[in-house]
Structures are given as C-alpha cells and as structure tokens.
Amino acid sequence: MTRADDILRPMRRTIDTIIDEDALRDRLDSGAQLRIKYGVDLTAPDLHLGHAVNLWLMRHLQEHGHRVVFLLGDLTTRVGDPTGKSETRPVLTDAQIDENARAFLTQVSLVLDTSPEVFEVRRNSEWFDRMPVAELLTLFSMTTHAQLMARDMFRDRLAQGREIALHELTYPVLQGYDSFAMDSDLTIVGSDQLFNEMMGRQYQQRLGSRPQSLITTVITPGLDGGPKQSKSLGNYIALTDMAGDKFGKAMSLPDDLTGVWASAYTTLDDARVAELTTASARGGRDARDAKLAMAEALVARYHGADAAAREREAFLRVFSEGATPETTDAVQLTSPVLTTLALLELARPDLSGSARRRLLAQGAVRVDGTLLTDPDLALTVRDGSILRTGRRTWTRLDLPA
Amino acid sequence: MTRADDILRPMRRTIDTIIDEDALRDRLDSGAQLRIKYGVDLTAPDLHLGHAVNLWLMRHLQEHGHRVVFLLGDLTTRVGDPTGKSETRPVLTDAQIDENARAFLTQVSLVLDTSPEVFEVRRNSEWFDRMPVAELLTLFSMTTHAQLMARDMFRDRLAQGREIALHELTYPVLQGYDSFAMDSDLTIVGSDQLFNEMMGRQYQQRLGSRPQSLITTVITPGLDGGPKQSKSLGNYIALTDMAGDKFGKAMSLPDDLTGVWASAYTTLDDARVAELTTASARGGRDARDAKLAMAEALVARYHGADAAAREREAFLRVFSEGATPETTDAVQLTSPVLTTLALLELARPDLSGSARRRLLAQGAVRVDGTLLTDPDLALTVRDGSILRTGRRTWTRLDLPA
C-alpha cells in the first residue's frame, strides 16, 4: 500500500469526486507538504456540520503533515456602491472584515489544527491590491463568455430572467487566479464550487503552474430530511452549538437518516455505521438507540467522549426514560405560530416580563433542545414540544387537535 | 438665433443623430468651453476620410472655442498574453504605444487645431493605472450581463457562434468610465461606438456627473460604392495620402456618388452640392466635370486651393485630355490576379529585379493612383488600369476579353 492509499482510504467515505487523482496521489506519495486551499467568502461566517465534512478531511491531511491555507476572500467584500445609496450591498470596512475573519477563524479552529506548521492565513487582497488593471484584463482575456455561461448558477439565473451583474461574472476568474497566486495543490469543496475551482486549474496551467487537484464531498440531508443543511431553512447543527444543542438536534433527525449522518458526521467505523443503519430500519427502541449512538459519536467528535456521554444521559433523563423533572407543566396553545416572548408569557405566567427577558438573554430558553435568544423570533411549535426555561423547568406545549 | 443654432447649423449636413440635444444646446448657449471626448484605440492609427467627418465637426467646435480631449486608450494596448506564446495578441511596449500615439497625432493634426487652448492629450492609463481592483469591480457591478448582451457586436458574435473573451465584455464599461474620468461634455462618434458612449452617459450619471451629449455622423459609401470606407477593402482615401493620390482616388468614385461625397467630404455649400448631384445624373462630360469639382474641393480642404488646382490639371493632362506621357505602353495580362512583383516583371521587362524592388521601396509604383509597396501583395487588376512606375512611365494593363 502506497502512502497515498494510506492517506486517502479513511477519506473515501465522505468524498464524492476526485479530479486529477493521479496528480494528487503523486503529490501525496512524494512526501512533500501539500498546500490545501480553503477559500472563504467573508460575508457569511456561520459554519455547520455540512461544512465541517470538508474541514475534517483537511484536518486528516494536516495530521499527515500537510498545510491548510485559509484564504480570506477580502477583495470582494470591498466591492460596493460608491454612491453609498444602496442598502443591499453594504461595503465592509477593514474593521468589519477583521472581525468576520476572527469569527471565521474561531469556528474553523473547532476542527482544524491552527499551528503554524500546518496552517496559514492569507487574504486575496495581497495579490489583487497590487495588480494593475491591465494585468487583470489580461487574466480576463483567457476566459470566454461561453465558458462562464456554462456555469449552473449563471445559466439558471438567465433562465429565470434574473440579472447577472458584470462583476459577478468575473468572480470565477478571480477565484481561479487565487489558486495560482497561493500555489494550491489541492482544494476540497462542495460541488457548487466545482466550476470556480476548475477555473483555478485552468489559470494555474495557463500561467505555468501545476494545476491543483480537486475533491468534492458528499452532501448529507438536513435535520428535516431536506436535501442539505442550510441556514435559511434552520435545519442544521452549527459548529458553535453547545454540546447539549448538538445532541438534541441530532435526536430530532428522521430515523432513516441515522446511518447517513453517522457516516458523514462521526468517526464510527464502517461496520458500526452499517449496524446503526440496520437497527434504524427496525424502528422502535432499536432505532432510538441507534440514533442515540450516532448523536453521542457526533458530539464526542467536537466536545470529547465525556461531554457526549453526559449529554446522552441528560437527554434520556428528560425525554426518554420518563424521569420527572422538578416541574413539568403543560400549556395549551391556540396557534402553533407565536413569538418567543409570547410563548414565555403563556408558559411562565409566574415570571415578570423582565425575568422572562433575562432568561432569554442568559441563553436559558430552549424548545426541544434548540436555544432561543431572540424575543421577537416567530416560532412554529410542534404539538408535544418541550420548552425548557432555566435549569429545571420543563413545559410541554400542546396544540389544538 | 441662439448661439447653439449658429454653431450647430453648418454641422447638420454630416450629423446623423444627436443624443441629449437639449443639454448640448444649453452648454453651447452658456458660452462655457465644452470638453469634447475623442477616444481612440492605439492599435490602428490609420485614418481615412470617413473618420475625418467627425474630426471636421470637432474642428468646427474648436473654432468656436471648445476643447477636444484626445484620449489615447492605452490601457487596453497593454492587455495581452502573459505567457508570450500567442502571436495574435502582441502586447505593445511603452515605446510602441508612444510611436503609435505620435502617428495618430500626426494624422489628427491634419484636421484638428492642436494649440493648447483647444486641444489636450490624455491617456486612460492615468486613471486606470491607479485604480484598485476592488474599485474596478464596483464599476462592473453597475452593469448587467443582459445590458452588455444588448450590444450589436456581442449579439452578432453569439449568433455566429463566435467567442467573446471576458475582457472584451468589460470594454464598454472602461470606455464609459473614461467619459466620467475626463469629464466629457460631448463626443462625436460613428454609430458603432454608440453603445459604449451611452455607457459613458450611464456611468457619468451613476457617479454624479452630467452625462455627455452624443453626436453620431452619417456614413458615406466607399470608393467602390460599398457601404463605407474600410482599410481591409482598400476602398478609402487616407488622410495621409498625397494630394495627387487623393485626387486620383476621388476620380475613381462611381458617378452617382459624387453628390454624396461632395456633401460629406467638402466644404462646398448645399446649393453647389445640389448642382453637382444634378450634373452627375446627366452623365457624360457633365458628370465628369462634377466629379472633378468634387475632387478639387476635397483636395483643397487638406492641401489648399493651389495644390488642388494643380492636381486637377495634372489629372486632366494624363488621363482625360489625351496628353502623351513620356512613355505609354500597354501590356497584355493573362489573368487579373497576380502579385505586384509579377506585374512589374511583365510591365517593366527593361528593369532588373533589384531595380523593380527599389521602385517599390521608393514608393514609386501605383495602379490607378493607389500606392503599392508590398512585392508579394496579390492584386486584382481591372482591364484598362494604369500602372505608373517612376515619375514618367505609364503602362496600360489589358486583360483578355
């Protein structure tokens, strides 16, 4: 077995495609340190388990001595409306960029090793800020309109009669050039980034470098069984979620996805994943136990085995084993849709308004394990959901039949 | 009659459209000095009478105190292939750019007044060289893909399945920004530049300036009666042609275009143009005399009345009045298509090969007044054409019936 085999084998489970695998294997076999491009857009620093699949692959490569180059795409955060009239495109100030970068780094460091031997932070403004316009246009000249229009996102927008601004059309080129400028050997991305990273290969080749290899990863359904986790759908587990939230959310997954989640989001070995899949199919207590095992392994990866075991115990005590919390009331709601504050008023009439707001501010309010902090958030409550307020108060929420 | 009426009236004959005429009239009436954008691409400094229509309108405005800003588009001349492998896109060096700029200026100064009160030379690298990439992308964000695709040239290329490189797509934006950066009040262009100069209006408005007015000019048929003069068709009179060449070429125009040329390319008044048009329609000697009058007026505009009268006399002596040049031979060709050198071998068997090449190099070889310098150029000869070799040798070229 070659060194490349050895490194790639445990990665296969979450890899969808490898582009230019031969080159990747050569590089891994050579023993040289690979430079792995991890490019991010600074406007949305909110990572969930779906993103972490890629990060764990990078972490694995770091453990074999390879280097992740965390590339902040700060150039495009400074593209905006010079008249200052548009609310829709706020230009980020340098301070905001730094703040977002720090927030990103905090999240990334929950998975990646950030020691300087295997981690490096770069910004693409390093090369674009000193690039003359004529050179940028020269880069543009290596790509055609037809090639750009082949990109799904652009094609779909045209088909829907939506606008594409000219600067958006140039972004694949900029992202492609990044790969050349930072000397990327490999990048691990979602399939939505495949087009832009293929541009990277094209530009590296045109400019005389070895093209990077590409790995795309499997996409795993969200908590609601929908195609993937997404912030706008609220069907995700954030990397920054506390252990209890991660556990509770994982337990809300449909039974038939337990095996898929175990494969994508835990380090349980393939045999154990197969067992969990089979147990889930049997339903009932077996399915519940399989999901508990998945949730525990998921939490253990981020918070350690002890914390995971504790969360399992707490979960079982409250929801499964019929243990009696200090208080368990039920409240009858007239509608499933209401704000957090309205819910608290119904469920905790014993508290003052300011006491309720304090609970929210302290992070002491959860519905089915999901933390609620915004008093004005519009909730959609399911019949039988459990509201927890403070450490020891649980309220069951009943909806009209 | 307002000042604007007074200035615009003599211009109408060669104006096709005025965009935002009200703003133009206001500016002319105000008495302030207008800044007239005359933007050129430095890769093709070869001006002909068709280009000069616009220059003469600018010259007219200069005579009323307005300023022509001669804008060298040197940015795009430095866009090229960084690998140096492409022969098709040679990047111009700074020295070549300077040389082309000088060549352009020499030609332009045959029409425009280049005194500093009414003439200014700028380069768009002045603003683009110091523009950060983020600012350029911000400019791009103000234009959509759909808007660019509305341009005839792009639409036609797509329809023909031809490529559009991404940098070409950005050129209308760059040209539009030029109008803002140089503070243009007016630009006078061919209709092929209408789209890009409308971009100028859009960018001036977006960036908080008054949009420039636009004048497009009439397009006049070429010497061969084709839609317009063009270098590739060889159906044009160059500004740098000598007086005799201008005269001879003008006399090769089809009779029915004499009036149109007199209107576009001479200062003969409208009544006289009408007379020439009528005379041309009568054919015969009247038509010839009308064309002589047009050709003389055309030459007089560039070389003065005396030179024009001399050329008329010379033309009549040689071609029309049956005067005997020192030598007039005829040579029978077997095919109308042959190289310049092959033609010289047939027509001047008395000369050595090196003597023939010397004649070419000295600019002493013409067919029907058109200068030939390339020995390998493939000619298409018309029956009865006159080959002139040296100052005093004419040869009639006969083709098989």
Side-chain angles (χ1 to χ4, degrees):
Chain A
M1 189 143 85
T2 68
R3 193 194 308 231
D5 286 323
D6 191 39
I7 297 173
L8 287 172
R9 192 178 29 76
M11 299 170 68
R12 299 277 178 196
R13 198 160 86 182
T14 54
I15 287 180
D16 183 21
T17 321
I18 305 183
I19 302 210
D20 209 351
E21 180 164 351
D22 287 347
L24 177 60
R25 298 178 66 89
D26 286 348
R27 282 164 164 159
L28 289 172
D29 282 335
S30 78
Q33 188 183 49
L34 263 66
R35 293 175 64 79
I36 304 161
K37 175 185 181 184
Y38 175 42
V40 301
D41 174 350
L42 278 174
T43 51
D46 262 303
L47 298 182
H48 56 59
L49 288 193
H51 302 116
V53 167
N54 300 8
L55 292 173
W56 284 112
L57 290 181
M58 294 184 226
R59 168 62 183 261
H60 174 77
L61 290 165
Q62 285 185 314
E63 282 164 8
H64 286 84
H66 301 295
R67 173 183 292 256
V68 170
V69 182
F70 181 53
L71 178 62
L72 306 172
D74 64 337
L75 169 71
T76 54
T77 58
R78 283 177 289 134
V79 174
D81 180 1
T83 65
K85 285 176 193 157
S86 162
E87 294 288 324
T88 58
R89 291 198 55 78
V91 183
L92 297 186
T93 63
D94 284 351
Q96 287 169 318
I97 291 172
D98 286 345
E99 194 182 311
N100 286 357
R102 266 195 306 275
F104 227 130
L105 210 51
T106 304
Q107 294 179 49
V108 160
S109 66
L110 297 176
V111 178
L112 293 184
D113 180 348
T114 55
S115 27
E117 300 76 33
V118 291
F119 190 77
E120 176 180 331
V121 181
R122 305 295 290 269
R123 298 178 168 215
N124 67 357
S125 58
E126 289 173 40
W127 37 92
F128 285 118
D129 276 0
R130 59 175 189 234
M131 182 180 284
V133 168
E135 191 179 330
L136 184 71
L137 294 176
T138 299
L139 295 180
F140 289 170
S141 75
M142 299 172 189
T143 301
T144 67
H145 174 259
Q147 194 187 352
L148 292 168
M149 283 300 119
R151 196 185 168 190
D152 295 355
M153 192 189 80
F154 293 144
R155 250 198 339 242
D156 292 350
R157 282 221 238 163
L158 283 190
Q160 294 161 13
R162 288 162 60 209
E163 294 283 22
I164 303 167
L166 178 57
H167 70 299
E168 296 177 285
L169 216 52
T170 71
Y171 284 176
V173 173
L174 303 178
Q175 194 169 329
Y177 183 78
D178 284 343
S179 294
F180 168 77
M182 57 153 284
D183 202 13
S184 167
D185 295 304
L186 169 68
T187 187
I188 302 176
V189 292
S191 56
D192 59 327
Q193 289 303 309
L194 186 58
F195 182 93
N196 291 359
E197 293 301 337
M198 289 298 285
M199 276 283 187
R201 288 175 53 82
Q202 175 182 331
Y203 275 88
Q204 287 177 303
Q205 198 140 34
R206 274 300 288 270
L207 300 170
S209 294
R210 283 191 317 180
Q212 63 189 0
S213 294
L214 276 177
I215 291 178
T216 63
T217 46
V218 295
I219 292 180
T220 303
L223 286 171
D224 56 356
K228 62 174 182 175
Q229 294 179 67
S230 104
K231 202 179 166 193
S232 56
L233 295 174
N235 64 349
Y236 67 103
I237 296 181
L239 287 198
T240 51
D241 278 346
M242 298 205 289
D245 288 337
K246 284 199 181 81
F247 201 99
K249 287 181 182 178
M251 289 306 293
S252 76
L253 188 74
D255 287 350
D256 60 342
L257 294 177
T258 297
V260 175
W261 271 52
S263 172
Y265 300 142
T266 78
T267 54
L268 295 172
D269 65 26
D270 290 354
R272 180 75 178 127
V273 168
E275 273 174 33
L276 297 182
T277 305
T278 312
S280 298
R282 286 197 295 270
R285 191 169 193 93
D286 283 357
R288 198 211 55 173
D289 288 347
K291 208 189 294 182
L292 283 168
M294 177 276 287
E296 187 174 352
L298 187 155
V299 171
R301 197 175 202 184
Y302 294 93
H303 303 275
D306 288 354
R310 271 198 308 276
E311 291 303 332
R312 177 192 174 111
E313 215 172 305
F315 184 89
L316 287 173
R317 196 170 52 236
V318 176
F319 294 104
S320 307
E321 305 289 11
T324 312
E326 279 73 354
T327 311
T328 309
D329 287 334
V331 63
Q332 178 72 40
L333 307 181
T334 55
S335 155
V337 179
L338 71 179
T339 65
T340 312
L341 207 56
L343 178 63
L344 287 183
E345 284 165 11
L346 292 169
R348 296 297 303 269
D350 55 312
L351 298 179
S352 69
S354 57
R356 291 186 201 116
R357 286 182 178 274
R358 201 157 46 236
L359 277 176
L360 279 172
Q362 289 165 347
V365 178
R366 291 165 193 267
V367 169
D368 293 342
T370 300
L371 180 67
L372 300 175
T373 54
D374 180 357
D376 302 319
L377 183 72
L379 304 170
T380 303
V381 174
R382 283 180 295 186
D383 187 39
S385 284
I386 301 291
L387 168 70
R388 182 173 175 180
T389 42
R391 289 184 63 83
R392 300 183 181 279
T393 310
W394 284 265
T395 312
R396 200 183 68 240
L397 307 176
D398 293 335
L399 286 173
Chain B
M1 187 145 85
T2 67
R3 193 195 308 231
D5 286 323
D6 192 39
I7 297 172
L8 288 171
R9 191 179 29 77
M11 299 170 68
R12 300 277 179 194
R13 197 160 87 180
T14 55
I15 287 179
D16 183 20
T17 320
I18 305 183
I19 301 210
D20 209 353
E21 180 165 349
D22 287 346
L24 178 59
R25 298 178 67 89
D26 286 348
R27 282 164 163 161
L28 289 173
D29 282 335
S30 78
Q33 188 182 50
L34 265 66
R35 292 176 63 79
I36 303 160
K37 175 185 181 184
Y38 175 43
V40 302
D41 173 350
L42 278 174
T43 51
D46 262 303
L47 299 181
H48 55 59
L49 289 193
H51 301 116
V53 167
N54 301 8
L55 292 173
W56 284 111
L57 291 181
M58 295 183 225
R59 168 62 184 261
H60 174 76
L61 289 164
Q62 286 185 314
E63 283 164 7
H64 286 83
H66 301 294
R67 172 183 292 257
V68 170
V69 182
F70 181 54
L71 177 63
L72 305 172
D74 64 338
L75 170 70
T76 53
T77 59
R78 282 176 291 133
V79 174
D81 179 0
T83 65
K85 285 177 193 156
S86 161
E87 294 288 322
T88 58
R89 292 197 54 78
V91 184
L92 297 186
T93 62
D94 284 350
Q96 287 168 320
I97 291 171
D98 286 345
E99 194 182 310
N100 286 356
R102 267 195 306 275
F104 227 130
L105 210 51
T106 304
Q107 294 178 48
V108 161
S109 66
L110 298 175
V111 178
L112 294 183
D113 180 347
T114 55
S115 22
E117 300 76 33
V118 292
F119 190 77
E120 176 181 330
V121 181
R122 303 295 290 271
R123 297 177 170 218
N124 68 356
S125 57
E126 289 172 39
W127 37 90
F128 285 118
D129 276 0
R130 58 174 189 237
M131 183 180 283
V133 167
E135 190 180 331
L136 184 71
L137 294 176
T138 299
L139 295 180
F140 288 170
S141 76
M142 299 172 189
T143 300
T144 67
H145 173 258
Q147 192 187 353
L148 292 168
M149 283 300 119
R151 196 185 169 191
D152 295 355
M153 192 187 81
F154 293 145
R155 251 199 339 242
D156 291 351
R157 282 221 238 164
L158 283 190
Q160 294 161 13
R162 288 161 61 207
E163 294 283 22
I164 303 168
L166 178 56
H167 70 300
E168 296 176 286
L169 217 52
T170 71
Y171 284 177
V173 173
L174 304 178
Q175 195 170 327
Y177 183 79
D178 284 342
S179 294
F180 168 77
M182 57 154 283
D183 201 14
S184 167
D185 295 304
L186 169 69
T187 186
I188 302 176
V189 293
S191 56
D192 59 328
Q193 290 303 308
L194 186 59
F195 182 93
N196 292 358
E197 294 301 336
M198 288 299 285
M199 276 282 186
R201 288 175 54 81
Q202 174 182 331
Y203 275 88
Q204 287 176 305
Q205 198 140 35
R206 273 300 288 272
L207 300 170
S209 295
R210 283 191 314 181
Q212 63 189 1
S213 294
L214 277 177
I215 291 177
T216 63
T217 46
V218 296
I219 292 179
T220 303
L223 287 171
D224 56 356
K228 61 175 183 174
Q229 294 179 68
S230 104
K231 201 179 165 194
S232 55
L233 296 174
N235 63 349
Y236 68 104
I237 296 181
L239 287 198
T240 50
D241 278 347
M242 299 206 288
D245 289 336
K246 285 199 181 82
F247 201 101
K249 287 181 182 179
M251 290 304 293
S252 77
L253 188 74
D255 286 351
D256 59 343
L257 293 177
T258 297
V260 174
W261 271 52
S263 172
Y265 299 141
T266 77
T267 53
L268 295 173
D269 65 27
D270 290 354
R272 180 74 180 127
V273 168
E275 273 173 33
L276 296 183
T277 305
T278 311
S280 297
R282 285 197 297 271
R285 191 170 194 93
D286 284 357
R288 197 209 56 172
D289 288 347
K291 207 190 294 182
L292 283 169
M294 177 276 287
E296 188 174 350
L298 187 155
V299 172
R301 197 175 202 184
Y302 294 93
H303 304 275
D306 288 355
R310 272 198 306 277
E311 291 303 333
R312 175 192 174 112
E313 216 172 304
F315 183 88
L316 287 173
R317 197 170 52 235
V318 176
F319 293 104
S320 308
E321 305 290 8
T324 311
E326 279 72 356
T327 311
T328 307
D329 286 333
V331 63
Q332 179 72 41
L333 306 181
T334 55
S335 154
V337 180
L338 71 177
T339 65
T340 312
L341 207 56
L343 178 61
L344 288 183
E345 283 166 10
L346 293 168
R348 296 296 305 268
D350 55 314
L351 298 178
S352 69
S354 58
R356 290 185 202 117
R357 286 182 178 274
R358 202 156 46 236
L359 276 177
L360 280 172
Q362 289 165 348
V365 178
R366 292 167 192 267
V367 170
D368 292 342
T370 300
L371 180 67
L372 300 175
T373 54
D374 179 359
D376 301 318
L377 182 72
L379 304 170
T380 304
V381 174
R382 283 180 294 185
D383 188 39
S385 285
I386 301 291
L387 168 71
R388 183 172 174 180
T389 42
R391 289 184 63 82
R392 299 183 181 278
T393 310
W394 285 265
T395 313
R396 199 181 70 238
L397 307 176
D398 294 334
L399 287 172

